[in-house]
Amino acid sequence: MSFKSSMKIVILASVLAFLWTAPSSAQEMAVPVSVQFPLFLKILVFDRNLRNRVGDEIVIGVIHQRKFKRSLRVKDEFMDVMKESPIKTVADIPIRLVSIDVDDADLENTISKNEIDVLYITPVRTLEMKKFTSLSFAKKITTLTGVPDYVAEGLAVGIGTKGGKPRIIINLPTAKAEGADFSSGLLNLAKVIKG
Amino acid sequence: MRLSNKPLPRISFRTIRAKIAAAISVVLGLISLFIFIFFPARLEKQAFKAISAKADSIAEMTAFSISPALFFEDVESIEEVIKSARQNENLVYMVVLDSSGNVIADFNKDKATHAYFSHSHDDNHISADGAICEVMTPILMRPNGRDIGRLYLGLSLKELRSEVANSRATIALVSVVILIIGTILVFIISTLATRHLGRMAETFEEISGGDLTRRADVSSRDEVGYLAGSFNLMVDNLEVARNKLESLNRNLEERVEERTKALKSSEGQLRAILESTDDGILVVDSLGQVIHSNRNFAEMWRIPEELTEEGNDDRLINCVLEQLEDPDEFLSKVRALYGSSETSFDTLYFKDGQVFERSSGPLIVEDKVVGRVWSFSDVTKRKKAEKEKSSLEARLQRAEKMEALGTLAGGVAHDLNNILSGIVSYPDLLLMTLPEDSDLRKPILTIQKSGQRAAAVVQDLLTLARRGVAVTEVCNLNEIISDYLESPVHAEIKIHHPEVQFRTNFEERLLNTLGSPVHLSKTVMNLISNAAEAMLDGGEVTISTRNQYIDKPVKGYDTVEEGDYTVLQVSDSGIGISREDLNRIFEPFYTKKAMGRSGTGLGMAVVWGTIKDHKGYIDVESTEGEGTTFALYFPVTRQESVQDAQSLSMEELMGDGETILVVDDVQEQRELAKGMLEKLGYRVRTAPGGEAAVEYMKNNRADLLMLDMIMDNGIDGLETYKRILELHPEQRAMIVSGFSETDRVRDAQALGAGQYIRKPYVLDTLGAVVKSELKKNTNGKISN
């Protein structure tokens, strides 16, 4: 069995598991992290401005709430998927994950100190996405999320579903404000929120 | 007048119009063909390229479109794209494979499978059936360009082919139309363009035919019009020039005519000058080629006219050389003079006896020797005249010599004849008185014969001097020769030359001649004697006679004139006479013989004198060592011999008392004659001279005059006779003289005087002549 075939099975299983276990709320992720992660890496490839923004590595800050279990769990899954994924680069730029508890640190300093290039927003409670987008706009950081609603709320890229299949959601104004320049090919595939 | 004789090319289909039309039509055809071939192919190629590019573009765009979907494995999106691509009606198939070669999405996969699996390469290409343009494009992940899949696309070329075919047909049609229209247009344009040219060509032809009044009638404002205008200007100038040229030509012709006339006149004069001379003139160039010759040259050298006209110098020179005695010498001299500036003279001797004097001088033109002028002068006559002159001078010398001798002899002879008359004539009288048996008869006869011989010697001298009186009798050479051969003189010769044979060959019916038998006999004797003496070792002397008619003068030793002759010829086989001696043998006292042996040197001189006295000619031919032939030509007489008359008896000689007047200035002669005549029965009267005789005859008559021709004092016998004839026109007379028959004697005979007898005469002779004269009528004719 080829890797691809394995990956498909994993993806399929994850989807099924998610669908079986995922709470039905607005913070709900449409697809499992294992599906999100490779997709996000692919999506980043379509950012034509990525190389201009990142340095020698793409630092992905995984925003989570320690106190929110689901967020923590998603963070951990994200980190695990990262570790287990054979794909360690985006456009041949190595990636590094940085876990960021949004409750603990001065988010701005932490982002700056870790030279975060991309933020992955796990499901969070009582936080407005503006908190993240203000920083992402200023620091030109692309925001990713597995929660489709967050995209509508202002984050740049999310993963939803359509017809049982993952579907990319892009908030185009946010993406542009964050300095991302997604190719039309990606945009053609994605659901684009224009404002 | 056309300046060139080249014929103008006839107008044919190869006109400018046709050429232009043909050329452009060909070009159009080629272009059309090119267009028909090239453009459809190019179109097809470009269409295919376009299709291929389109296919590439579609594939790339599709790949580009598909790339994110394929990256995200969004098959639905991929299929959407494919679906969108299917709007292209030419799309035959589309297959999307991932990087593993798995088909992610496809359209008309079966066709695609047949299409792309049949090829081993992934380049764009045309399918085997040519119906599909197949494209393969990698699907690359942007922006890093990672190959994430392949897109196979097939576009139908059917439409393309159809369009290409349509295009080709259209192009073909357009090409044909263009060709046709182009050809027509070209034809029309060329016709329009050449229309004026054709008219101009016609005009040019007329002009070339000499009509310079014609002009090209083209007024178009284009190159043709400009050409026509320029041509018209040229023709204007040409016309002016021609007129000038014609004027100059006329002037030149006139001048040429004048000069030609002058030249002809000059030539004519020159020719007239050359032809006027009697000399033959030949002008040659430095190579010896004949430049000019006058008529005399050809006539003198007897060059045939056709040879002169032929101009073959070799044949001409051969004709000349053949006539010369020494052609080699002539030729060598001629060759030596070629190119020379010397003047040369020479004498040319011809085989036929002609003699030319040749002079030659250089022909100098502008101080340069360009040839030679040969001048030939026929001096044959002059040379002959000189020769004759020399001969005449020699003869004159001889004659003067003889005349001197004759003068001497004449002076002596006259007296001797008179003295001898007594010795010769008186014995006749004595014999008439003596009895027949008288012992004195014989001595008296001897005395008479001696006297006659002495008289003969005197006659020889006179004959030699051409002053002796020769008896003019009708005599026959055969008889004279025969008498001589029987004479004691010849017998003596035969004794002196026992080994010499004498042979005769007489003409049987030899004609008579008038002459002196004694002298003729003497001549025969001299010739035979000389002939015998020329044959020291013996030989044969041939004496022959013949009658001969000379129809034209024969040039020999003497020139024998035309007439009837009786010829005496004496030939010997002796030593011959040299050429030098031949010219002198008739000179008096010129002899090779020893003096005293025989002859006194007068023998041949007497022969010469005798032949001249007899109005004859002598010819001598002699070759030293072979012999000599003398031929004596005596004029023939048709008279009968008077020998018969001289043999009359005394009774027949007696007269009848006729009166005879004897006229002689010598008394003894008068007495002698008187005595004889009276003896003969005539009545004799005498006159001492011519005047006395004339005086006598004034009052008297005489039956016969006996005239002495030479009378020292007073008039001679001829004058006496003339005067007497005035008194008595029909007076008969006879002439007596001691000299040879002279012109005066003949003149007297022409007046009517009768025969002539020479002193001393014998009774018989005197009687016969008197008898004969008295028989004649007063008109001089013998009466019956």
Side-chain angles (χ1 to χ4, degrees), chain B residues 432-452:
Chain B
M432 286 176 72
T433 58
L434 285 174
E436 289 293 326
D437 57 351
S438 172
D439 293 334
L440 294 175
R441 248 188 131 71
K442 187 175 177 183
I444 291 172
L445 279 169
T446 302
I447 292 169
Q448 189 183 44
K449 281 199 174 121
S450 297
Q452 286 174 337

Side-chain angles (χ1 to χ4, degrees), chain B residues 434-602:
Chain B
L434 285 174
E436 289 293 326
D437 57 351
S438 172
D439 293 334
L440 294 175
R441 248 188 131 71
K442 187 175 177 183
I444 291 172
L445 279 169
T446 302
I447 292 169
Q448 189 183 44
K449 281 199 174 121
S450 297
Q452 286 174 337
R453 281 207 297 277
V457 171
V458 171
Q459 287 303 314
D460 276 351
L461 287 174
L462 288 175
T463 300
L464 189 65
R466 309 294 302 281
R467 292 170 69 180
V469 176
V471 174
T472 305
E473 297 176 14
V474 177
C475 40
N476 192 282
L477 284 174
N478 286 347
E479 293 173 4
I480 291 171
I481 295 167
S482 298
D483 288 343
Y484 163 76
L485 292 174
E486 292 172 2
S487 70
V489 175
H490 182 63
E492 196 169 337
I493 290 176
K494 285 203 298 187
I495 291 168
H496 280 118
H497 302 284
E499 294 180 356
V500 174
Q501 300 297 319
F502 296 91
R503 192 167 68 81
T504 59
N505 182 15
F506 291 158
E507 171 75 50
E508 279 188 18
R509 298 175 73 80
L510 189 68
L511 296 172
N512 294 331
T513 187
L514 278 179
S516 165
V518 173
H519 290 89
L520 289 173
S521 180
K522 181 70 64 77
T523 296
V524 170
M525 181 202 78
N526 287 330
L527 290 174
I528 292 174
S529 169
N530 284 342
E533 288 174 2
M535 293 183 288
L536 300 173
D537 299 324
E540 187 176 87
V541 175
T542 305
I543 305 106
S544 58
T545 60
R546 65 180 183 271
N547 295 321
Q548 186 167 347
Y549 172 68
I550 303 295
D551 57 356
K552 58 182 177 182
V554 175
K555 292 184 183 177
Y557 187 87
D558 212 356
T559 299
V560 183
E561 297 296 334
E562 180 184 348
D564 283 317
Y565 295 93
T566 175
V567 182
L568 164 64
Q569 185 165 299
V570 177
S571 301
D572 67 68
S573 55
I575 59 174
I577 306 171
S578 68
R579 195 172 184 150
E580 293 75 24
D581 292 335
L582 207 58
N583 293 329
R584 302 185 67 186
I585 55 171
F586 295 108
E587 283 184 17
F589 305 115
Y590 182 80
T591 179
K592 293 286 191 182
K593 294 183 281 191
M595 291 296 292
R597 170 130 192 253
S598 66
T600 59
L602 290 176

Side-chain angles (χ1 to χ4, degrees), chain A residues 39 42-43 45-46 185-186 189, chain B residues 68-69 71-72 77 141-143:
Chain A
L39 282 174
K42 289 181 182 177
I43 289 167
V45 171
F46 282 90
L186 178 64
L189 291 176
Chain B
F71 187 62
F72 289 108
S77 296
M141 184 60 212
R142 299 290 189 281

Side-chain angles (χ1 to χ4, degrees), chain B residues 11 31 131 157 183 195 224 250 256 265 280 306 356 387 401 433 473 478 515 546 568 581 585-586 662 758 779:
Chain B
I11 304 296
I31 292 173
L157 296 177
T183 303
R195 176 184 60 188
V224 175
R250 276 194 297 275
V256 167
S265 173
E306 58 271 13
F356 286 0
K387 193 174 174 184
K401 210 185 276 186
T433 58
E473 297 176 14
N478 286 347
R546 65 180 183 271
L568 164 64
D581 292 335
I585 55 171
F586 295 108
V662 175
R758 192 182 69 238
N779 58 4

Side-chain angles (χ1 to χ4, degrees), chain B residues 259-275:
Chain B
R259 292 291 174 86
T260 303
K261 275 185 188 170
L263 187 63
K264 280 186 180 173
S265 173
S266 176
E267 264 189 23
Q269 281 183 6
L270 178 63
R271 178 160 285 282
I273 291 170
L274 289 176
E275 296 296 340

